[in-house]
């Protein structure tokens, strides 16, 4: 069970680099809206080597941690258990400290993707496409396992990445077709396209957006919009942004860490949008 709001008062996001993270903005906005005036949420630059030492120094006032790269797999040996969702992709982005001191890991990225899509009217699709095969792609594939009834085409640049995605597909029981990145323009005709690539990687595809695009989920949020997202919107397609994902996974984290539900999505969104506008 998650701790009650009065039991723990500290939380933070860990990763390296971490200065760019919007998590403190979102979580603090949630605390303010929920009236949790004695709760704090910070950011710490922690890499894999420093992570065990950081955990060793945590006191009983800690309620939870958000984790970003490169810690999502490195944290698992330090935990007392992880959820089935986290185990499905060997990645933890949320740690909750229980009243008994147990540290439990979860992955809110996967349900966060599903919730962000649902908010934009996408609950089920017959087929989908994923652009890229990096760390976020496995979570995207796990999310699609919940909402895609047919084949998922994954566009990759290397055989090593292709092999990784085949492995995840088998583990998640998803029907996957691996396609060379040279044919990535084909992906844009899918009912749902999930772009998981770094900034700039899909810019060249913008000119290939079809006249009537369906839904694009671009996991980036800064800078925004990406060239692909801008063209997609201009042609009337639905666009889900990385901020949508960040918000929905943070909502789940707030609920788990504080024991308060529902978390204030609207207040968190406004805070995130203001912070991005100020950058």
């Amino acid at each position: 069970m998650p701790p009650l709001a009065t039991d723990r008062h500290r939380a933070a996001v860990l990763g390296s680099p971490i200065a760019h993270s919007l998590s403190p903005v979102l979580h603090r906005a949630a605390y303010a809206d929920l009236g949790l005036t004695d709760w704090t949420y910070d950011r710490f630059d922690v890499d894999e080597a420093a992570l065990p030492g950081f955990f060793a120094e945590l006191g009983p006032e800690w309620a939870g941690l958000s984790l970003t790269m490169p810690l999502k797999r490195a944290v698992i040996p330090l935990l007392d258990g992880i959820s089935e969702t986290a185990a499905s992709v060997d990645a933890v982005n949320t740690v909750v400290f229980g009243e008994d001191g147990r540290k439990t890991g979860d992955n809110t990225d996967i349900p966060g993707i599903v919730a962000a899509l649902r908010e934009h009217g996408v609950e089920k699709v017959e087929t989908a496409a994923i652009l890229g095969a990096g760390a976020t792609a496995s979570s995207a594939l796990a999310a699609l396992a919940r909402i895609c009834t047919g084949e998922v085409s994954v566009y990759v640049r290397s055989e090593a990445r292709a092999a990784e995605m085949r492995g995840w597909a088998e583990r998640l029981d998803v029907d996957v077709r691996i396609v060379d990145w040279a044919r990535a323009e084909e992906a844009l005709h899918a009912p749902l396209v999930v772009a998981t690539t770094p900034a700039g990687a899909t810019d060249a595809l913008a000119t290939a957006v079809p006249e009537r695009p369906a839904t694009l989920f671009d996991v980036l949020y800064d800078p925004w919009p990406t060239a692909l997202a801008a063209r997609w919107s201009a042609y009337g397609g639905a666009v889900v942004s990385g901020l949508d994902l960040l918000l929905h996974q943070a909502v789940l984290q707030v609920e788990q860490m504080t024991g308060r539900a529902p978390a204030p999505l609207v207040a968190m969104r406004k805070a995130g949008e203001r912070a991005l506008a100020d950058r």
Side-chain angles (χ1 to χ4, degrees), residues 108-124:
T108 63
D109 286 331
I110 295 169
I113 291 172
V114 174
L117 286 167
R118 184 185 302 118
E119 186 181 34
H120 286 77
V122 180
E123 297 195 15
K124 288 288 181 183

mmCIF file of all heavy atoms in Angstrom, residues 108-124:
data_model
loop_
_atom_site.group_PDB
_atom_site.id
_atom_site.type_symbol
_atom_site.label_atom_id
_atom_site.label_comp_id
_atom_site.label_asym_id
_atom_site.label_seq_id
_atom_site.Cartn_x
_atom_site.Cartn_y
_atom_site.Cartn_z
ATOM 1 N N THR A 108 5.360 3.895 -14.425
ATOM 2 C CA THR A 108 4.163 4.662 -14.765
ATOM 3 C C THR A 108 4.213 5.194 -16.186
ATOM 4 O O THR A 108 3.246 5.807 -16.650
ATOM 5 C CB THR A 108 3.944 5.829 -13.784
ATOM 6 O OG1 THR A 108 5.041 6.753 -13.887
ATOM 7 C CG2 THR A 108 3.825 5.331 -12.354
ATOM 8 N N ASP A 109 5.331 4.979 -16.893
ATOM 9 C CA ASP A 109 5.408 5.404 -18.294
ATOM 10 C C ASP A 109 4.399 4.640 -19.147
ATOM 11 O O ASP A 109 3.747 5.213 -20.026
ATOM 12 C CB ASP A 109 6.814 5.166 -18.857
ATOM 13 C CG ASP A 109 7.837 6.155 -18.336
ATOM 14 O OD1 ASP A 109 7.442 7.296 -18.009
ATOM 15 O OD2 ASP A 109 9.018 5.794 -18.264
ATOM 16 N N ILE A 110 4.288 3.323 -18.896
ATOM 17 C CA ILE A 110 3.424 2.495 -19.734
ATOM 18 C C ILE A 110 1.951 2.895 -19.587
ATOM 19 O O ILE A 110 1.298 3.229 -20.579
ATOM 20 C CB ILE A 110 3.655 1.007 -19.424
ATOM 21 C CG1 ILE A 110 5.083 0.617 -19.816
ATOM 22 C CG2 ILE A 110 2.641 0.138 -20.154
ATOM 23 C CD1 ILE A 110 5.516 -0.745 -19.327
ATOM 24 N N PRO A 111 1.381 2.897 -18.378
ATOM 25 C CA PRO A 111 -0.001 3.379 -18.255
ATOM 26 C C PRO A 111 -0.132 4.857 -18.575
ATOM 27 O O PRO A 111 -1.206 5.321 -18.978
ATOM 28 C CB PRO A 111 -0.367 3.088 -16.799
ATOM 29 C CG PRO A 111 0.934 3.002 -16.077
ATOM 30 C CD PRO A 111 1.913 2.442 -17.069
ATOM 31 N N GLY A 112 0.967 5.614 -18.426
ATOM 32 C CA GLY A 112 0.938 7.034 -18.781
ATOM 33 C C GLY A 112 0.728 7.230 -20.275
ATOM 34 O O GLY A 112 -0.013 8.128 -20.694
ATOM 35 N N ILE A 113 1.378 6.402 -21.091
ATOM 36 C CA ILE A 113 1.181 6.458 -22.545
ATOM 37 C C ILE A 113 -0.271 6.138 -22.882
ATOM 38 O O ILE A 113 -0.912 6.828 -23.676
ATOM 39 C CB ILE A 113 2.134 5.478 -23.252
ATOM 40 C CG1 ILE A 113 3.584 5.959 -23.126
ATOM 41 C CG2 ILE A 113 1.752 5.319 -24.728
ATOM 42 C CD1 ILE A 113 4.611 4.955 -23.618
ATOM 43 N N VAL A 114 -0.792 5.080 -22.261
ATOM 44 C CA VAL A 114 -2.180 4.674 -22.517
ATOM 45 C C VAL A 114 -3.143 5.791 -22.117
ATOM 46 O O VAL A 114 -4.092 6.111 -22.862
ATOM 47 C CB VAL A 114 -2.511 3.376 -21.757
ATOM 48 C CG1 VAL A 114 -3.984 3.027 -21.897
ATOM 49 C CG2 VAL A 114 -1.645 2.226 -22.262
ATOM 50 N N ALA A 115 -2.911 6.407 -20.964
ATOM 51 C CA ALA A 115 -3.801 7.474 -20.477
ATOM 52 C C ALA A 115 -3.722 8.714 -21.368
ATOM 53 O O ALA A 115 -4.740 9.362 -21.633
ATOM 54 C CB ALA A 115 -3.449 7.832 -19.041
ATOM 55 N N ALA A 116 -2.517 9.056 -21.821
ATOM 56 C CA ALA A 116 -2.356 10.222 -22.698
ATOM 57 C C ALA A 116 -3.092 10.009 -24.016
ATOM 58 O O ALA A 116 -3.742 10.923 -24.537
ATOM 59 C CB ALA A 116 -0.879 10.487 -22.941
ATOM 60 N N LEU A 117 -3.000 8.807 -24.558
ATOM 61 C CA LEU A 117 -3.715 8.501 -25.800
ATOM 62 C C LEU A 117 -5.220 8.530 -25.573
ATOM 63 O O LEU A 117 -5.982 9.066 -26.385
ATOM 64 C CB LEU A 117 -3.285 7.137 -26.331
ATOM 65 C CG LEU A 117 -1.895 7.086 -26.966
ATOM 66 C CD1 LEU A 117 -1.449 5.640 -27.173
ATOM 67 C CD2 LEU A 117 -1.907 7.832 -28.307
ATOM 68 N N ARG A 118 -5.667 7.966 -24.451
ATOM 69 C CA ARG A 118 -7.103 7.948 -24.156
ATOM 70 C C ARG A 118 -7.644 9.376 -24.047
ATOM 71 O O ARG A 118 -8.754 9.666 -24.495
ATOM 72 C CB ARG A 118 -7.363 7.185 -22.862
ATOM 73 C CG ARG A 118 -8.856 7.040 -22.541
ATOM 74 C CD ARG A 118 -9.081 6.383 -21.188
ATOM 75 N NE ARG A 118 -8.458 5.069 -21.135
ATOM 76 C CZ ARG A 118 -7.482 4.730 -20.299
ATOM 77 N NH1 ARG A 118 -7.012 5.625 -19.420
ATOM 78 N NH2 ARG A 118 -6.976 3.512 -20.309
ATOM 79 N N GLU A 119 -6.865 10.261 -23.449
ATOM 80 C CA GLU A 119 -7.294 11.651 -23.313
ATOM 81 C C GLU A 119 -7.532 12.293 -24.680
ATOM 82 O O GLU A 119 -8.360 13.195 -24.821
ATOM 83 C CB GLU A 119 -6.243 12.451 -22.537
ATOM 84 C CG GLU A 119 -6.663 13.875 -22.222
ATOM 85 C CD GLU A 119 -5.595 14.659 -21.484
ATOM 86 O OE1 GLU A 119 -4.398 14.438 -21.749
ATOM 87 O OE2 GLU A 119 -5.976 15.499 -20.648
ATOM 88 N N HIS A 120 -6.807 11.804 -25.695
ATOM 89 C CA HIS A 120 -6.964 12.330 -27.053
ATOM 90 C C HIS A 120 -7.870 11.445 -27.906
ATOM 91 O O HIS A 120 -7.857 11.523 -29.140
ATOM 92 C CB HIS A 120 -5.591 12.473 -27.710
ATOM 93 C CG HIS A 120 -4.800 13.635 -27.192
ATOM 94 N ND1 HIS A 120 -4.143 13.622 -25.969
ATOM 95 C CD2 HIS A 120 -4.579 14.867 -27.717
ATOM 96 C CE1 HIS A 120 -3.546 14.781 -25.789
ATOM 97 N NE2 HIS A 120 -3.790 15.553 -26.830
ATOM 98 N N GLY A 121 -8.643 10.592 -27.263
ATOM 99 C CA GLY A 121 -9.640 9.814 -27.976
ATOM 100 C C GLY A 121 -9.168 8.523 -28.592
ATOM 101 O O GLY A 121 -9.910 7.884 -29.350
ATOM 102 N N VAL A 122 -7.948 8.110 -28.295
ATOM 103 C CA VAL A 122 -7.413 6.870 -28.860
ATOM 104 C C VAL A 122 -7.438 5.788 -27.781
ATOM 105 O O VAL A 122 -6.636 5.823 -26.838
ATOM 106 C CB VAL A 122 -5.976 7.045 -29.387
ATOM 107 C CG1 VAL A 122 -5.449 5.734 -29.966
ATOM 108 C CG2 VAL A 122 -5.929 8.149 -30.432
ATOM 109 N N GLU A 123 -8.344 4.848 -27.902
ATOM 110 C CA GLU A 123 -8.452 3.764 -26.928
ATOM 111 C C GLU A 123 -8.087 2.410 -27.521
ATOM 112 O O GLU A 123 -7.575 1.543 -26.817
ATOM 113 C CB GLU A 123 -9.864 3.728 -26.347
ATOM 114 C CG GLU A 123 -10.218 4.999 -25.586
ATOM 115 C CD GLU A 123 -11.453 4.835 -24.725
ATOM 116 O OE1 GLU A 123 -11.871 3.695 -24.483
ATOM 117 O OE2 GLU A 123 -11.994 5.864 -24.276
ATOM 118 N N LYS A 124 -8.362 2.226 -28.804
ATOM 119 C CA LYS A 124 -7.995 0.992 -29.493
ATOM 120 C C LYS A 124 -7.591 1.322 -30.920
ATOM 121 O O LYS A 124 -8.183 2.204 -31.543
ATOM 122 C CB LYS A 124 -9.174 -0.003 -29.525
ATOM 123 C CG LYS A 124 -9.507 -0.649 -28.189
ATOM 124 C CD LYS A 124 -8.448 -1.666 -27.773
ATOM 125 C CE LYS A 124 -8.821 -2.321 -26.449
ATOM 126 N NZ LYS A 124 -7.762 -3.266 -25.988
#
